[in-house]
């Protein structure tokens, strides 16, 4: 008897732990998360329409045709039943078609890049509803939120008014990460040099947990933040409070903030460089670094260094052989000329300078 009690204690403890779960995924506070919850519930029910009967029939057959049941009919010659075959194949096929249709429609309607069409099931988004833009940057190991219209920025804290569409523009400073607020909407990845988007709305005031859903190193476990749903008046006061901070988010301040840190506290910045997010996205907050867009432009114009030189030499040789130089000039004199870098030089490099002059 005591051994049975000891074996049941872990189950009781597990039940107690589960009773404290908030089950935020099944009880969200944002319309996008609500629609995602409904999609999960509908898909689960459709699958249970097959799973439950199969489990029940398996147990029933095992009990009915047990060795001790001599009354069960035994027919070793039986091998086929058309009605049974129709049920076995038609029922799963119908459910698979229904599940595929629901999933296809739902995933397209809930595309995170798609602007919101409704605030909730009863209220559509109207033309006079201006979305709140929030620029999100995942750092090591913290979250930076920039409000370009309000001119403020925060670390590990983000707020938005209730029933106002939110347009998140998301990127990363270095490592790929994942932005997730289960009560608001599904997770979406953040990647350096790329911008992802998430459109969402919060319908209930409150404080909700946000976190990184993608492992990114030593500080991953503490990479949390609070998302606050507020009334318009509370959000206005929150913005004013942020403007009372004594910190400014300049490029130099961002380069300091970008350095890896653990358990970063909530911070607020009263001003923010209006070009900062674009520079983060273009990978050139440090003005000594070449921007990603500049690299792409150089590549489009023939490349830099030996590769570009080879491209130019090959093009000139082909032009001389085929006589294409004159034809190219006659085709379109207004078309932009494609330029190539033949060599790099410095003032202390007379050979390189002479080579560049000869190439020009």
């Amino acid at each position: 008897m005591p051994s049975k009690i000891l074996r049941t204690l872990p189950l009781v403890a597990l039940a107690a732990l589960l009773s404290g779960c908030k089950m935020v995924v099944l009880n969200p506070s944002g319309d996008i998360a609500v629609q995602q919850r409904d999609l999960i519930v509908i898909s689960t029910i459709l699958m249970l329409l097959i799973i439950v009967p199969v489990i029940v029939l398996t147990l029933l057959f095992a009990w009915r045709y047990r060795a001790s049941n001599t009354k069960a009919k035994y027919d070793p010659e039986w091998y086929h039943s058309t009605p049974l075959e129709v049920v076995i194949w038609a029922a799963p096929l119908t459910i698979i078609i229904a599940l595929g249709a629901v999933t296809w429609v739902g995933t397209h309607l809930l595309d995170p890049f798609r602007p919101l069409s409704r605030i909730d099931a009863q209220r559509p988004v109207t033309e006079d509803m201006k979305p709140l833009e929030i620029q999100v940057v995942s750092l090591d190991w913290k979250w930076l939120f920039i409000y370009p219209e309000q001119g403020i920025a925060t670390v590990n804290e983000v707020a938005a008014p209730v029933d106002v569409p939110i347009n998140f523009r998301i990127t990363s400073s270095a490592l790929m990460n994942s932005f997730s607020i289960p009560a608001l909407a599904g997770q979406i990845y953040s990647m350096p040099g790329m911008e992802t988007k998430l459109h969402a709305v919060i319908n209930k005031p409150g404080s909700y947990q946000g976190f990184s859903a993608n492992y990114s190193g030593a500080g991953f476990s503490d990479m949390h933040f609070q998302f606050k749903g507020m009334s318009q008046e509370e959000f206005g006061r929150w913005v004013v409070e942020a403007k009372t901070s004594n910190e400014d988010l300049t490029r130099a301040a961002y380069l300091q903030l970008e350095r890896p840190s653990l358990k970063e506290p909530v911070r607020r910045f009263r001003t923010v460089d209006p070009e900062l997010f674009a520079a983060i996205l273009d990978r050139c907050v440090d003005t000594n670094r070449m921007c990603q867009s500049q690299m792409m432009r150089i590549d489009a114009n023939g490349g830099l260094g030996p590769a570009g030189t080879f491209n130019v030499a090959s093009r000139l040789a082909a032009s001389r052989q085929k006589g294409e130089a004159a034809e190219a000039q006659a085709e379109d004199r207004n078309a932009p000329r494609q330029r190539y870098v033949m060599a790099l030089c410095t003032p202390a490099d007379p050979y390189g300078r002479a080579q560049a002059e000869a190439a020009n």
Side-chain angles (χ1 to χ4, degrees), residues 15-340:
L17 290 172
L18 291 175
S19 65
C21 294
K22 295 181 179 179
M23 298 296 288
V24 64
V25 173
L26 297 179
N27 186 30
S29 302
D31 185 62
I32 293 296
V34 168
Q35 295 181 69
Q36 292 172 337
R37 184 271 315 273
D38 293 343
L39 182 60
I40 293 172
V41 171
I42 293 171
S43 301
T44 302
I45 292 174
L46 286 173
M47 290 184 286
L48 288 176
L49 290 177
I50 286 295
I51 294 172
V52 171
V54 168
I55 293 175
V56 171
L57 289 173
T58 300
L59 297 175
L60 177 62
F61 291 164
W63 176 81
R64 180 174 175 80
Y65 297 102
R66 65 193 185 277
S68 61
N69 185 13
T70 58
K71 295 181 180 180
K73 182 181 179 181
Y74 176 66
D75 186 4
E77 300 299 326
W78 182 89
Y79 68 94
H80 178 73
S81 171
T82 300
L84 186 59
E85 290 286 346
V86 171
V87 172
I88 290 175
W89 291 104
L93 182 60
T94 303
I95 292 175
I96 289 172
I97 293 172
L99 183 62
V102 169
T103 305
W104 188 88
V105 173
T107 51
H108 280 77
L109 290 176
L110 298 174
D111 183 353
F113 282 72
R114 179 185 178 128
L116 295 184
S117 59
R118 71 182 207 183
I119 297 299
D120 55 34
Q122 288 75 38
R123 293 175 293 172
V125 173
T126 58
E127 294 182 358
D128 59 338
M129 290 183 179
K130 185 179 180 182
L132 171 67
E133 181 175 320
I134 304 177
Q135 298 166 346
V136 183
V137 184
S138 60
L139 306 171
D140 297 333
W141 286 276
K142 48 197 168 282
W143 292 94
L144 171 65
F145 302 96
I146 300 173
Y147 291 77
E149 297 178 357
Q150 288 74 23
I152 62 171
T154 59
V155 173
N156 287 343
E157 182 186 54
V158 59
V162 171
D163 294 337
V164 172
I166 310 170
N167 179 14
F168 291 102
R169 299 176 58 194
I170 306 168
T171 190
S172 176
S173 64
L175 295 178
M176 179 177 173
N177 221 300
S178 180
F179 177 72
S180 178
I181 308 175
L184 182 70
Q187 67 87 26
I188 186 167
Y189 289 108
S190 64
M191 291 168 280
M194 298 180 63
E195 178 184 331
T196 52
K197 294 183 179 181
L198 176 64
H199 293 85
V201 62
I202 191 71
N203 300 118
K204 299 176 184 178
S207 182
Y208 305 99
Q209 184 75 7
F211 53 87
S212 165
N214 191 80
Y215 181 73
S216 57
F220 161 77
S221 299
D222 299 305
M223 199 172 170
H224 303 284
F225 62 91
Q226 289 296 315
F227 174 83
K228 297 181 178 180
M230 305 175 171
S231 65
Q232 285 283 5
E233 294 75 17
E234 290 174 331
F235 180 71
R237 290 194 294 269
W238 182 81
V239 172
V240 171
E241 185 179 349
K243 288 183 178 292
T244 61
S245 169
N246 59 359
E247 291 189 87
D248 301 300
L249 189 58
T250 60
R251 291 196 176 206
Y254 171 82
L255 293 174
Q256 292 294 323
L257 179 66
E258 188 183 35
R259 295 178 178 178
S261 61
L262 301 176
K263 298 183 179 180
E264 187 75 21
V266 172
R267 295 172 62 183
R268 297 173 181 174
F269 300 88
R270 61 186 175 184
T271 63
V272 58
D273 186 331
E275 302 297 327
L276 180 60
F277 184 76
I280 296 171
L281 190 58
D282 214 6
R283 312 282 291 157
C284 58
V285 177
D286 186 348
T287 54
N288 292 323
R289 295 183 59 180
M290 181 181 292
C291 292
Q292 185 172 259
S293 59
Q294 293 173 316
M295 296 181 188
M296 295 170 66
R297 192 176 302 115
I298 289 173
D299 290 342
N301 289 333
L304 184 66
T309 304
F310 177 78
N311 291 341
V312 173
S314 301
R315 184 183 179 89
L316 292 177
S319 297
R320 283 194 297 268
Q321 292 175 2
K322 299 181 180 180
E324 295 177 350
E327 295 178 9
Q329 292 179 359
E331 284 178 359
D332 189 356
R333 296 183 181 276
N334 295 325
R337 293 182 60 193
Q338 194 170 20
R339 300 179 181 275
Y340 298 86

Side-chain angles (χ1 to χ4, degrees), residues 341-352:
V341 178
M342 293 294 293
L344 292 177
C345 61
T346 64
D349 181 12
Y351 174 76

